[in-house]
Amino acid sequence: MKIRVYYEDTDAGGVVYHSNYLKFCERARSEIFFAKNIDIFDAKRGHFLLTKADCHFLQSAKLGDVLEIKTQLLDIKRASLILCQEIYKQDEKLFRAEFTLAFVKDSKIAKIDENLKRIFEELL
């Protein structure tokens, strides 16, 4: 997924504020569902909650930069998965994170349904 850095994403010096890298990754994860026409807010299906984030800020993005967020599945278990998300400006890696997501249904950890599992397995 590609995005452009806007003024609202930056600090007073025109550098992307650190928490916005997390937002960019969240948008890319949401786009996975939107591309498959899956309602990620369907209470009957369940949803994913972030349980762990291991972030590495390597370089700074700046106002006007076009960034690409790449997402890869590292591991999938019965009720959780681990994704690697990297943010690039052209060929330069700016950010890398591993996110652990737990699947929750009715406010309890639950088995990931097979349709969702297949969607993430496509990211291998």
Side-chain angles (χ1 to χ4, degrees):
M1 179 185 113
K2 290 191 177 185
I3 61 165
R4 180 176 299 279
V5 174
Y6 293 103
Y7 183 75
E8 67 189 23
D9 300 320
T10 65
D11 61 16
V15 175
V16 171
Y17 189 69
H18 70 278
S19 66
N20 286 330
Y21 292 93
L22 300 174
K23 288 181 184 181
F24 298 158
C25 290
E26 179 68 37
R27 290 177 195 166
R29 290 193 305 272
S30 295
E31 285 296 330
I32 293 167
F33 295 108
F34 296 146
K36 301 286 185 179
N37 292 318
I38 293 175
D39 181 1
I40 59 175
F41 300 108
D42 182 353
K44 294 176 189 173
R45 176 185 305 275
H47 60 280
F48 288 93
L49 293 177
L50 180 68
T51 62
K52 182 179 176 183
D54 182 16
C55 303
H56 301 267
F57 300 88
L58 307 171
Q59 298 288 328
S60 296
K62 296 180 174 57
L63 180 63
D65 286 349
V66 175
L67 307 177
E68 182 174 10
I69 298 99
K70 297 179 181 181
T71 304
Q72 179 183 5
L73 177 67
L74 297 180
D75 191 23
I76 191 162
K77 296 182 179 169
R78 183 179 178 275
S80 67
L81 53 87
I82 300 172
L83 296 176
C84 175
Q85 289 187 278
E86 297 175 324
I87 299 178
Y88 290 85
K89 182 176 98 176
Q90 297 175 349
D91 293 331
E92 182 180 15
K93 188 187 309 181
L94 306 180
F95 176 84
R96 181 183 191 280
E98 288 186 15
F99 295 105
T100 302
L101 303 164
F103 190 69
V104 177
K105 189 173 182 180
D106 299 323
S107 300
K108 296 178 186 163
I109 299 291
K111 181 181 176 187
I112 301 170
D113 85 31
E114 290 303 314
N115 187 34
L116 291 177
K117 201 172 201 177
R118 278 190 297 278
I119 289 168
F120 281 104
E121 287 171 343
E122 290 175 10
L123 299 173
L124 282 172

